[in-house]
Amino acid sequence: MGQLWEAPTVCSVCGHDHLVITRLRCPDCGSAVEGEFAPPRAESAGRRSGPLAGAPARGEARYGGLTRLSDEQLEFVEVFLRCRGVIKNVEDMLGVSYPTVKGRLNAVLEAMGLRADDDAPPVEERRMRHEILNDLKNGRITTDEAHELLARAQLLAEDER
């Protein structure tokens, strides 16, 4: 089988931006279906309909939940990986706030079929401890105040669990 190309979305003759796919063919068995088909949407890419709905598509077997991501979400994942998961660097690269990065990350996880809080480390707890220690280092609080704040932060974290 030859190289696969991404389906065009714009007509090269008149510029119409909603091309319709009229024939689908299985490269394994050669069977074909004709009709009018919309290009796969990002949220349904890699999913099947009909009796094989529960079986993963070939792309999903290879790329997992990434096949379910929109182009925008894939770009975010690329930036996130480029930044080695350092949220501060993602904030700077995208020019967005910490909550925006967290929201986009959670949306990617959900689109991939994962719960955003599955096995998530206590990020907020670490962030709070880091701020307390930074304040101590910069002389904004005393050692005693740092001990008290760290103890309170620990109690809050335990209450939330």
Side-chain angles (χ1 to χ4, degrees):
M1 186 172 128
Q3 182 174 356
L4 291 177
W5 301 94
E6 187 172 327
T9 57
V10 177
C11 176
S12 60
V13 175
C14 72
H16 183 75
D17 65 353
H18 296 296
L19 292 180
V20 177
I21 298 169
T22 59
R23 182 178 161 104
L24 300 174
R25 187 182 64 79
C26 175
D28 287 343
C29 70
S31 64
V33 179
E34 291 192 20
E36 289 193 7
F37 306 95
R41 295 187 316 257
E43 60 269 10
S44 65
R47 295 188 193 152
R48 297 177 187 228
S49 60
L52 298 177
R58 280 183 192 242
E60 190 163 348
R62 182 166 180 185
Y63 299 108
L66 291 172
T67 60
R68 301 179 193 150
L69 301 182
S70 68
D71 289 344
E72 183 178 300
Q73 289 172 322
L74 284 170
E75 288 174 22
F76 172 81
V77 169
E78 183 178 330
V79 168
F80 187 83
L81 293 173
R82 211 181 265 163
C83 292
R84 309 290 193 270
V86 177
I87 291 180
K88 180 65 179 147
N89 294 349
V90 177
E91 290 176 45
D92 293 342
M93 191 172 230
L94 296 177
V96 297
S97 67
Y98 175 85
T100 301
V101 172
K102 291 295 289 183
R104 289 184 186 178
L105 181 57
N106 287 341
V108 164
L109 290 170
E110 288 174 19
M112 292 178 69
L114 305 169
R115 287 189 31 231
D117 58 353
D118 282 352
D119 301 320
V123 174
E124 198 55 43
E125 181 182 341
R126 285 197 340 250
R127 188 179 185 100
M128 191 181 300
R129 281 196 319 255
H130 178 74
E131 287 178 13
I132 293 168
L133 294 173
N134 209 18
D135 286 347
L136 175 63
K137 175 183 165 190
N138 293 321
R140 290 190 284 265
I141 60 174
T142 66
T143 305
D144 290 336
E145 290 171 318
H147 281 289
E148 185 178 325
L149 289 170
L150 288 168
R152 266 195 258 157
Q154 181 67 32
L155 287 173
L156 282 173
E158 289 172 5
D159 287 345
E160 290 178 4
R161 292 182 203 147

